[in-house]
Amino acid sequence: MKNAGTSFMQKIGKVAEGILLGSFFFLIFILLFQQYIVLPDWLKVAGRMHPMFLHFPIVLLFISMLGWWITPSEQYKEWPKYLLLVAALSAVITALMGLLLSMEEVREGSTFQWHKWSGIAIGFLAILSYYFYTYLSLKRRSGKALSILCCVLIIAAGHWGATLTHGSNYLMAPITVVRKVPIDKAIVFADVIQPVFAAKCFSCHGEGNLKGGLNLETIRGILDGGKTGPLFTIGDPGLSLLMHRVLLPSNEKKHMPPISRPQLSEEEILLLAAWIRSGSLTDKKLISLPVQDTFRILASAWLRGSETEQDEPQYSFVSADPKKIQQLNNNYRVIEQLGEKSPALSVRFYGREAYTSTALKDLLALRLQITEINLSKMPVSDNDLATLADMPNLNRINLNYTLISDKGLEQLIKLKNLQDISLSGTKVGSGAVDKLCKMPQMRFLFLWNTSFDSLQVANLQKKYSKLVINSGFKDAGHTMMTLPPPRFEIPSGIIEQPALISLTHAVKGTVIRYTLDGSDPDSINSLVYQKPISIHENTKVNIKAFKDGWYSSPVVKASYLKKGFIPDTIKLLTNPDIHYDNGVAILSDGDLGNQEYRYGQWLAWQTVDAGVELSYK
């Protein structure tokens, strides 16, 4: 039995050796001819598995290298060799995957080069360790030296890989205090613009990792741009590649930063746009710019905000009960302290389908402590603003793309501490906005994608000179941004026959085109929306917004199902998963399940086939 087992292991070992050599020679081939190779899609998939697969060789190599320091018993003397074979094979395959991934992403820079060649060197050392196993077993001192070198390379390659993925300061960022210079000493680029790039962009576009050939660490690199061309057009943010990539919808492949990385805040986006418009200045002092210069105003507020965060302003109200905060915190309503010892709280809502007016009213238990609230893209109505008006210490409110109107907005005038309000993508008019501007403590007002034209905004800015009003990036009336998506007044769902589907868009003068055959709308052939769409049967409606001078919006899709017969009884033949068993009634309630399964609109079977019996009289 022992000989049979040994013979079987030897056969497996021979097969693994063949795969190891084939993989290594394929790696060498790719290295030599990568500039001439166009990767097929299936190899791109293999390359993208590199971050997932690389943990295997790390563990296996560390364990196998212990073999040079521990003498195995006679019974198990062959096992270290087989373990080393598996470790070497996984190391070479991982290096090959990484090389394929680098060909797709077009990376450059010193950090990338060190990571690339250290990974290949690890695979090469692992192969040497395996094929010279007998010799090294006799010369154990050489085996130990080789194991030390291999482990050092593994640690170094891991460090460079983490730098590529997360940035050079990822490990120490939580305990690193970034000190901002005083406003009167700030240099435009070094103290305002470069810190924004450092925090959000250097992990992909630093000197050590030139993804797309773009280096944002130096002025020279920024002016040179990347492989797709110049980064921006001086004086014109609307025509600048930088702003186009930043303002793309987050689900677009070319949106920057990638959705997996920390995103630019609204203040940082405004700051970059104002910097480009002001002439992309570099070594000038901030205070040398005109007092009314938009970049100076925004940069001063940004620096002042950083100082405020560090100094943690004093409030007259006491801290809330931690148990109450914990009780109100959930996946869709996140409550956070604004400082380690600050009593002030910020609230952000997530998940449009999960939002309710009751969820907002529950926060009145913390009405004195909440100073910031973000309700962006939630179905907030005018009635909900009465709840906000009962939070006396609110100083920042984000109501972007909500359903509010002038009537509701006027309720916020009673908030004596309100300084910053965002109303982008809403239907508010000049009446309520003018009343907000009159509030003496108001500092910032955002009116992107509203009915306000450039003349109205200019008049408001002239009338309220101490207030920063931003309505988007415009150049002589020509705006180059991606349009926000149009909206269905009736979302996907079950309809009675017939149904009228209305479409809306926040930007004035936008043309909405639609299709009813499942194809994406285009700007020439697709139907133009002029009146509500009449739906008589099961229909898929795709809509898209267009406007001269703007990039077209993403496609929005909705499916409408004609209501049919309701079953008299419903019986489950197999049991659903206990985590997603929300009762059989949801199968006939006339509501489609939301794409987010956690909202309780689903039945789910995970280990057995679904079985349902519907009975009709």
Side-chain angles (χ1 to χ4, degrees):
M1 291 296 293
K2 183 177 179 181
N3 291 335
T6 302
S7 177
F8 176 74
M9 290 299 297
Q10 289 175 344
K11 290 179 180 179
I12 295 295
K14 290 295 183 182
V15 173
E17 280 185 12
I19 297 174
L20 175 61
L21 284 176
S23 300
F24 182 70
F25 286 123
F26 186 38
L27 175 66
I28 299 299
F29 175 80
I30 295 291
L31 274 175
L32 293 175
F33 301 103
Q34 57 183 310
Q35 65 268 33
Y36 306 109
I37 297 174
V38 177
L39 292 180
D41 290 341
W42 65 273
L43 272 182
K44 291 180 182 179
V45 173
R48 295 184 184 193
M49 293 175 65
H50 173 73
M52 176 186 71
F53 195 79
L54 60 85
H55 301 91
F56 290 98
I58 292 175
V59 175
L60 290 173
L61 283 169
F62 272 126
I63 295 175
S64 63
M65 291 303 157
L66 286 174
W68 302 120
W69 299 81
I70 301 173
T71 303
S73 63
E74 185 67 24
Q75 182 180 0
Y76 300 106
K77 66 178 183 180
E78 290 297 318
W79 281 100
K81 183 178 180 181
Y82 290 124
L83 178 62
L84 190 56
L85 172 59
V86 176
L89 180 58
S90 65
V92 172
I93 291 175
T94 300
L96 180 58
M97 287 177 172
L99 189 59
L100 295 174
L101 180 62
S102 70
M103 292 172 63
E104 182 183 358
E105 294 188 343
V106 192
R107 289 182 181 266
E108 300 173 2
S110 58
T111 302
F112 165 71
Q113 293 297 332
W114 282 111
H115 177 66
K116 170 184 173 181
W117 289 108
S118 61
I120 293 172
I122 291 169
F124 183 68
L125 286 179
I127 290 177
L128 286 180
S129 298
Y130 173 72
Y131 280 103
F132 287 89
Y133 179 80
T134 302
Y135 172 80
L136 293 173
S137 296
L138 298 175
K139 305 286 185 179
R140 298 192 70 82
R141 185 173 296 178
S142 299
K144 291 179 180 180
L146 189 65
S147 70
I148 292 173
L149 176 60
C150 190
C151 290
V152 169
L153 275 175
I154 291 172
I155 294 171
H159 166 70
W160 288 316
T163 300
L164 288 175
T165 305
H166 300 295
S168 58
N169 195 41
Y170 177 74
L171 181 64
M172 304 303 293
I175 60 173
T176 302
V177 178
V178 180
R179 297 293 179 186
K180 303 296 183 182
V181 300
I183 293 173
D184 60 338
K185 295 181 179 179
I187 304 300
V188 169
F189 179 77
D191 299 318
V192 181
I193 298 301
Q194 194 171 44
V196 175
F197 286 150
K200 305 293 173 67
C201 309
F202 279 7
S203 61
C204 290
H205 301 295
E207 286 188 308
N209 182 24
L210 302 181
K211 189 173 181 180
L214 178 60
N215 179 9
L216 295 178
E217 283 200 35
T218 66
I219 288 291
R220 184 71 265 163
I222 290 171
L223 295 178
D224 288 345
K227 293 188 175 181
T228 53
L231 191 61
F232 54 81
T233 302
I234 293 177
D236 193 340
L239 294 177
S240 297
L241 179 64
L242 171 64
M243 299 313 302
H244 173 52
R245 293 291 176 85
V246 165
L247 292 169
L248 278 173
S250 58
N251 59 348
E252 290 280 346
K253 181 180 179 181
K254 294 185 178 180
H255 168 80
M256 292 296 163
I259 192 62
S260 58
R261 306 293 173 86
Q263 298 297 294
L264 290 165
S265 67
E266 191 168 7
E267 290 83 357
E268 290 168 336
I269 294 173
L270 290 171
L271 202 59
L272 292 177
W275 176 63
I276 295 171
R277 185 183 297 284
S278 69
S280 309
L281 305 172
T282 56
D283 55 358
K284 277 194 173 186
K285 277 194 170 185
L286 183 62
I287 59 173
S288 69
L289 302 180
V291 175
Q292 293 302 318
D293 181 82
T294 302
F295 176 73
R296 174 173 173 170
I297 294 171
L298 291 173
S300 298
W302 185 74
L303 290 170
R304 193 179 298 114
S306 300
E307 294 167 1
T308 302
E309 289 174 8
Q310 293 168 13
D311 296 339
E312 292 191 7
Q314 301 299 311
Y315 294 98
S316 59
F317 51 86
V318 297
S319 299
D321 182 356
K323 292 182 180 178
K324 177 59 68 173
I325 297 175
Q326 183 178 6
Q327 179 185 345
L328 293 172
N329 235 328
N330 57 46
N331 290 336
Y332 310 109
R333 184 179 56 201
V334 178
I335 305 171
E336 297 178 316
Q337 271 185 281
L338 288 178
E340 184 178 354
K341 299 179 181 179
S342 175
L345 302 174
S346 72
V347 181
R348 184 180 182 99
F349 281 80
Y350 297 89
R352 184 179 180 88
E353 297 295 333
Y355 175 83
T356 63
S357 295
T358 301
L360 183 62
K361 288 180 180 178
D362 288 344
L363 293 174
L364 290 176
L366 306 173
R367 58 186 292 273
L368 296 178
Q369 289 80 23
I370 296 175
T371 61
E372 298 183 5
I373 191 163
N374 191 329
L375 291 159
S376 177
K377 298 181 181 178
M378 296 297 109
V380 175
S381 65
D382 288 342
N383 292 333
D384 294 330
L385 297 192
T387 303
L388 295 185
D390 203 22
M391 299 178 182
N393 294 311
L394 271 178
N395 60 49
R396 175 178 290 186
I397 303 175
N398 188 332
L399 295 169
N400 292 343
Y401 301 100
T402 56
L403 307 177
I404 64 170
S405 66
D406 282 10
K407 181 180 178 181
L409 192 61
E410 290 182 1
Q411 300 180 77
L412 301 182
I413 296 173
K414 63 184 288 188
L415 294 174
K416 303 304 180 184
N417 293 302
L418 185 59
Q419 300 177 359
D420 184 332
I421 188 165
S422 297
L423 302 170
S424 303
T426 62
K427 296 180 180 180
V428 296
S430 58
V433 169
D434 191 70
K435 292 178 181 178
L436 283 177
C437 292
K438 289 178 180 178
M439 298 169 67
Q441 76 281 7
M442 189 65 68
R443 291 169 50 228
F444 293 97
L445 177 63
F446 298 94
L447 294 172
W448 292 30
N449 302 332
T450 62
S451 60
F452 287 79
D453 58 33
S454 57
L455 181 60
Q456 288 175 299
V457 174
N459 289 336
L460 278 175
Q461 189 67 80
K462 183 178 180 181
K463 187 176 180 181
Y464 304 103
S465 58
K466 293 183 179 180
L467 181 62
V468 176
I469 303 174
N470 198 291
S471 60
F473 311 131
K474 295 182 173 64
D475 179 41
H478 188 73
T479 305
M480 286 297 293
M481 293 191 300
T482 298
L483 284 168
R487 292 198 292 260
F488 288 94
E489 290 294 326
I490 301 177
S492 293
I494 309 295
I495 59 171
E496 300 282 355
Q497 181 183 350
L500 295 177
I501 309 300
S502 297
L503 311 177
T504 61
H505 200 279
V507 179
K508 189 177 181 180
T510 297
V511 175
I512 303 176
R513 291 181 176 266
Y514 67 94
T515 62
L516 303 175
D517 60 1
S519 63
D520 288 349
D522 61 48
S523 60
I524 300 175
N525 300 311
S526 300
L527 298 169
V528 177
Y529 174 76
Q530 295 176 326
K531 61 182 181 180
I533 305 168
S534 180
I535 302 295
H536 299 274
E537 56 188 356
N538 294 349
T539 306
K540 292 182 178 180
V541 184
N542 294 352
I543 62 175
K544 191 173 185 178
F546 301 88
K547 186 178 181 182
D548 289 342
W550 294 66
Y551 296 105
S552 58
S553 76
V555 176
V556 183
K557 302 179 180 182
S559 296
Y560 299 97
L561 302 178
K562 176 184 171 183
K563 187 174 182 180
F565 296 104
I566 299 176
D568 296 291
T569 60
I570 302 176
K571 179 181 178 181
L572 297 181
L573 304 180
T574 55
N575 293 324
D577 187 279
I578 58 172
H579 299 293
Y580 311 110
D581 184 358
N582 292 291
V584 295
I586 66 172
L587 296 178
S588 59
D589 61 3
D591 289 331
L592 291 183
N594 189 277
Q595 292 181 358
E596 177 52 73
Y597 63 85
R598 291 171 293 184
Y599 293 148
Q601 295 173 292
W602 291 91
L603 287 175
W605 289 257
Q606 296 198 95
T607 58
V608 297
D609 290 338
V612 182
E613 180 181 279
L614 308 178
S615 298
Y616 299 86
K617 293 181 181 178

